[in-house]
Amino acid sequence: MSPNESSHSIRTRLIHGENVSQRWEYNHLVVPPITSSATYRLDSVARGAQGFHEFAHTPEGETRQVPIYIYDRLDEPTRGMLEDNLAIAEGGDMALCFASGMAAISACLCTLCTAGDRIVAHKVLYGCTYSLMRNWLPRQRVGVDLVDLTNVEHVRQAITPQTRAIYFETPINPQMTIIDIEEMAKIAAEANVNRPEHEKVRVVVDNTFASPYCQRPLSFGADIVCCSLTKSIGGFGTDIGGAVIGPHWLHDPLILYRKDFGGSLSPRSAWPTLVYGLPSLATRMVNYQSTAMRVAKFLEDHPKVERVLYPGLESFPQYQLARKQMRDARGDFAPGCMVYFDVKDPEQAGKPAARLIDWIAQNSYCITLAVSLGQIKTLIECPYNMTHTAIPDDEKRALGVLPGGCRISCGLEDRDDLIRDLEAGLAQV
Ligand SMILES: *Cc1c(COP(=O)(O)O)cnc(C)c1O
């Protein structure tokens, strides 16, 4: 690190990252190369032995140096450079990258929990995380208690001596409900007073929706951040990936898990995230969210729209909490790129929303019917029928995820074009 590197703003640091990395002969390259080497030359048996010996064994009290590279799945330079820069973005000690967001989330939870342990999680979760908690973790005898984390008393009551993690997204997909990270950290701290390290409750936040540009959970006392790199951080929609960012102690068990379960991020996917995605995150997010604000206001005023949920709107039920928690590194309010709205739907069967989205799918030039988010193209989808199918219908309705709901991820198009297409689509409803 050059003497004044850390004094630069995050906007600058996302572009330059570690700037000069010992992971690669970097001195004459402006852009790091894509590494594409499954295996690595080891020079001598002694050096090979040292590499194996040191893998996942960081000496007590030391931070890791550049490792002896052995084999791509274990550790490798392009992915390593991305990890260094993601740790900077989230303000964590270390980051590890996985083949997808789900590979990152499952690795994180399986590293924290063993048979007999429990997780307290918010009752609304990303569909695949919900399925992980409902179908797969219980098979490993890891119990999951799904509760309403917006109710602090419910969280306190749900924590047992077996609880190892409080897990949630914020803002929550799809309705942008916000969980108070600081409150969750406080509850974990209370529960941890007399617990030894290996029994502590860790606060784990899926920061995919906000991205580190809009919110840094570790700065509010969370222990670990999980995220999908496929979304805002990747930004261009070309690659799938995920990351876990957190404290030093997590590095060794987590990289060991990644080695053995095998979900390492390919360097060919790490590279575009390192070279295009992360460096452009700040400038994309500034544009996404100013467009999201305009789109949200347009929808709020539209007679065919029942309600709009966007953390940047003063009508947002948790507006004050959003203002506290969603801030860019300069301290400005950063409500993100995701807007949820319910089309007026007297029959509650989802027909008007389907008419709107089908019209957009077939006729809109600049809004695309597709899942995912945070990309340069604006995307729309219907959570009730698409991303949230893993949740039974009656539960979805009870949670307020209605058939008339639509989710928009604002991209970089001209906002007036987006609004014109939405206007034309709403005219069909
Ligand atoms: C997409 C997403 C994930 C999973 O990420 P993948 O890269 O698709 O595996 C997890 N959480 C949230 C909130 C997401 O939006």
mmCIF file of all heavy atoms in Angstrom, residues 90-112:
data_model
loop_
_atom_site.group_PDB
_atom_site.id
_atom_site.type_symbol
_atom_site.label_atom_id
_atom_site.label_comp_id
_atom_site.label_asym_id
_atom_site.label_seq_id
_atom_site.Cartn_x
_atom_site.Cartn_y
_atom_site.Cartn_z
ATOM 1 N N GLU A 90 -15.966 -3.183 1.020
ATOM 2 C CA GLU A 90 -16.869 -3.419 2.154
ATOM 3 C C GLU A 90 -16.249 -3.020 3.491
ATOM 4 O O GLU A 90 -16.910 -3.081 4.525
ATOM 5 C CB GLU A 90 -17.285 -4.900 2.217
ATOM 6 C CG GLU A 90 -18.297 -5.323 1.155
ATOM 7 C CD GLU A 90 -19.730 -4.822 1.428
ATOM 8 O OE1 GLU A 90 -19.940 -4.105 2.427
ATOM 9 O OE2 GLU A 90 -20.614 -5.134 0.618
ATOM 10 N N GLY A 91 -14.959 -2.685 3.486
ATOM 11 C CA GLY A 91 -14.299 -2.352 4.750
ATOM 12 C C GLY A 91 -14.059 -3.571 5.627
ATOM 13 O O GLY A 91 -14.106 -3.483 6.850
ATOM 14 N N GLY A 92 -13.808 -4.728 5.000
ATOM 15 C CA GLY A 92 -13.544 -5.954 5.767
ATOM 16 C C GLY A 92 -12.064 -6.284 5.788
ATOM 17 O O GLY A 92 -11.272 -5.710 5.034
ATOM 18 N N ASP A 93 -11.688 -7.242 6.665
ATOM 19 C CA ASP A 93 -10.282 -7.666 6.708
ATOM 20 C C ASP A 93 -9.921 -8.464 5.474
ATOM 21 O O ASP A 93 -8.793 -8.410 4.990
ATOM 22 C CB ASP A 93 -10.033 -8.580 7.933
ATOM 23 C CG ASP A 93 -10.197 -7.837 9.243
ATOM 24 O OD1 ASP A 93 -10.089 -6.600 9.234
ATOM 25 O OD2 ASP A 93 -10.426 -8.512 10.269
ATOM 26 N N MET A 94 -10.871 -9.266 5.001
ATOM 27 C CA MET A 94 -10.555 -10.165 3.890
ATOM 28 C C MET A 94 -11.831 -10.478 3.115
ATOM 29 O O MET A 94 -12.938 -10.318 3.627
ATOM 30 C CB MET A 94 -9.926 -11.461 4.415
ATOM 31 C CG MET A 94 -10.842 -12.333 5.252
ATOM 32 S SD MET A 94 -11.680 -13.555 4.234
ATOM 33 C CE MET A 94 -13.190 -13.823 5.180
ATOM 34 N N ALA A 95 -11.649 -10.936 1.872
ATOM 35 C CA ALA A 95 -12.781 -11.399 1.073
ATOM 36 C C ALA A 95 -12.383 -12.701 0.397
ATOM 37 O O ALA A 95 -11.201 -12.921 0.122
ATOM 38 C CB ALA A 95 -13.152 -10.352 0.023
ATOM 39 N N LEU A 96 -13.377 -13.562 0.154
ATOM 40 C CA LEU A 96 -13.142 -14.762 -0.655
ATOM 41 C C LEU A 96 -14.256 -14.846 -1.683
ATOM 42 O O LEU A 96 -15.429 -14.609 -1.371
ATOM 43 C CB LEU A 96 -13.127 -16.015 0.226
ATOM 44 C CG LEU A 96 -11.857 -16.211 1.065
ATOM 45 C CD1 LEU A 96 -12.048 -17.330 2.081
ATOM 46 C CD2 LEU A 96 -10.647 -16.512 0.177
ATOM 47 N N CYS A 97 -13.889 -15.210 -2.923
ATOM 48 C CA CYS A 97 -14.871 -15.230 -4.007
ATOM 49 C C CYS A 97 -15.270 -16.654 -4.379
ATOM 50 O O CYS A 97 -14.438 -17.562 -4.389
ATOM 51 C CB CYS A 97 -14.312 -14.523 -5.241
ATOM 52 S SG CYS A 97 -14.209 -12.753 -4.991
ATOM 53 N N PHE A 98 -16.526 -16.796 -4.717
ATOM 54 C CA PHE A 98 -17.118 -18.096 -5.014
ATOM 55 C C PHE A 98 -17.757 -18.075 -6.401
ATOM 56 O O PHE A 98 -17.952 -17.013 -6.988
ATOM 57 C CB PHE A 98 -18.157 -18.435 -3.941
ATOM 58 C CG PHE A 98 -17.529 -18.704 -2.590
ATOM 59 C CD1 PHE A 98 -17.156 -17.647 -1.756
ATOM 60 C CD2 PHE A 98 -17.266 -19.989 -2.174
ATOM 61 C CE1 PHE A 98 -16.560 -17.887 -0.525
ATOM 62 C CE2 PHE A 98 -16.671 -20.250 -0.952
ATOM 63 C CZ PHE A 98 -16.307 -19.197 -0.123
ATOM 64 N N ALA A 99 -18.110 -19.281 -6.861
ATOM 65 C CA ALA A 99 -18.630 -19.431 -8.216
ATOM 66 C C ALA A 99 -19.973 -18.750 -8.426
ATOM 67 O O ALA A 99 -20.366 -18.476 -9.557
ATOM 68 C CB ALA A 99 -18.742 -20.916 -8.566
ATOM 69 N N SER A 100 -20.699 -18.472 -7.347
ATOM 70 C CA SER A 100 -21.969 -17.749 -7.447
ATOM 71 C C SER A 100 -22.273 -17.145 -6.080
ATOM 72 O O SER A 100 -21.623 -17.493 -5.085
ATOM 73 C CB SER A 100 -23.105 -18.706 -7.851
ATOM 74 O OG SER A 100 -23.349 -19.631 -6.807
ATOM 75 N N GLY A 101 -23.284 -16.291 -6.049
ATOM 76 C CA GLY A 101 -23.728 -15.756 -4.762
ATOM 77 C C GLY A 101 -24.168 -16.875 -3.836
ATOM 78 O O GLY A 101 -23.861 -16.875 -2.644
ATOM 79 N N MET A 102 -24.901 -17.861 -4.385
ATOM 80 C CA MET A 102 -25.376 -18.965 -3.553
ATOM 81 C C MET A 102 -24.218 -19.812 -3.037
ATOM 82 O O MET A 102 -24.274 -20.310 -1.904
ATOM 83 C CB MET A 102 -26.389 -19.840 -4.318
ATOM 84 C CG MET A 102 -27.750 -19.188 -4.523
ATOM 85 S SD MET A 102 -28.430 -18.300 -3.083
ATOM 86 C CE MET A 102 -28.478 -19.575 -1.835
ATOM 87 N N ALA A 103 -23.184 -19.992 -3.841
ATOM 88 C CA ALA A 103 -22.006 -20.735 -3.360
ATOM 89 C C ALA A 103 -21.369 -19.987 -2.190
ATOM 90 O O ALA A 103 -20.905 -20.595 -1.217
ATOM 91 C CB ALA A 103 -20.997 -20.933 -4.488
ATOM 92 N N ALA A 104 -21.381 -18.659 -2.251
ATOM 93 C CA ALA A 104 -20.804 -17.851 -1.168
ATOM 94 C C ALA A 104 -21.655 -17.949 0.092
ATOM 95 O O ALA A 104 -21.138 -18.167 1.192
ATOM 96 C CB ALA A 104 -20.680 -16.391 -1.624
ATOM 97 N N ILE A 105 -22.979 -17.802 -0.072
ATOM 98 C CA ILE A 105 -23.882 -17.828 1.092
ATOM 99 C C ILE A 105 -23.842 -19.207 1.757
ATOM 100 O O ILE A 105 -23.723 -19.323 2.976
ATOM 101 C CB ILE A 105 -25.320 -17.452 0.649
ATOM 102 C CG1 ILE A 105 -25.369 -15.980 0.230
ATOM 103 C CG2 ILE A 105 -26.329 -17.745 1.759
ATOM 104 C CD1 ILE A 105 -26.615 -15.579 -0.542
ATOM 105 N N SER A 106 -23.928 -20.267 0.949
ATOM 106 C CA SER A 106 -23.947 -21.613 1.544
ATOM 107 C C SER A 106 -22.613 -21.916 2.214
ATOM 108 O O SER A 106 -22.572 -22.499 3.298
ATOM 109 C CB SER A 106 -24.312 -22.672 0.496
ATOM 110 O OG SER A 106 -23.426 -22.620 -0.592
ATOM 111 N N ALA A 107 -21.503 -21.501 1.603
ATOM 112 C CA ALA A 107 -20.186 -21.747 2.217
ATOM 113 C C ALA A 107 -20.071 -21.000 3.536
ATOM 114 O O ALA A 107 -19.580 -21.539 4.535
ATOM 115 C CB ALA A 107 -19.075 -21.310 1.261
ATOM 116 N N CYS A 108 -20.547 -19.762 3.551
ATOM 117 C CA CYS A 108 -20.464 -18.962 4.776
ATOM 118 C C CYS A 108 -21.252 -19.626 5.897
ATOM 119 O O CYS A 108 -20.737 -19.826 7.006
ATOM 120 C CB CYS A 108 -21.007 -17.560 4.479
ATOM 121 S SG CYS A 108 -21.083 -16.522 5.937
ATOM 122 N N LEU A 109 -22.506 -20.014 5.624
ATOM 123 C CA LEU A 109 -23.350 -20.589 6.681
ATOM 124 C C LEU A 109 -22.843 -21.961 7.108
ATOM 125 O O LEU A 109 -22.875 -22.302 8.290
ATOM 126 C CB LEU A 109 -24.806 -20.644 6.211
ATOM 127 C CG LEU A 109 -25.444 -19.263 6.030
ATOM 128 C CD1 LEU A 109 -26.850 -19.381 5.460
ATOM 129 C CD2 LEU A 109 -25.471 -18.481 7.351
ATOM 130 N N CYS A 110 -22.354 -22.746 6.161
ATOM 131 C CA CYS A 110 -21.860 -24.083 6.522
ATOM 132 C C CYS A 110 -20.527 -24.001 7.266
ATOM 133 O O CYS A 110 -20.175 -24.917 8.009
ATOM 134 C CB CYS A 110 -21.739 -24.965 5.280
ATOM 135 S SG CYS A 110 -23.352 -25.395 4.612
ATOM 136 N N THR A 111 -19.782 -22.924 7.071
ATOM 137 C CA THR A 111 -18.548 -22.746 7.840
ATOM 138 C C THR A 111 -18.869 -22.306 9.270
ATOM 139 O O THR A 111 -18.203 -22.715 10.210
ATOM 140 C CB THR A 111 -17.645 -21.700 7.143
ATOM 141 O OG1 THR A 111 -17.386 -22.156 5.813
ATOM 142 C CG2 THR A 111 -16.320 -21.526 7.867
ATOM 143 N N LEU A 112 -19.932 -21.496 9.416
ATOM 144 C CA LEU A 112 -20.279 -21.009 10.758
ATOM 145 C C LEU A 112 -21.014 -22.054 11.597
ATOM 146 O O LEU A 112 -20.952 -22.018 12.816
ATOM 147 C CB LEU A 112 -21.172 -19.758 10.651
ATOM 148 C CG LEU A 112 -20.540 -18.487 10.100
ATOM 149 C CD1 LEU A 112 -21.595 -17.377 10.036
ATOM 150 C CD2 LEU A 112 -19.364 -18.033 10.947
#
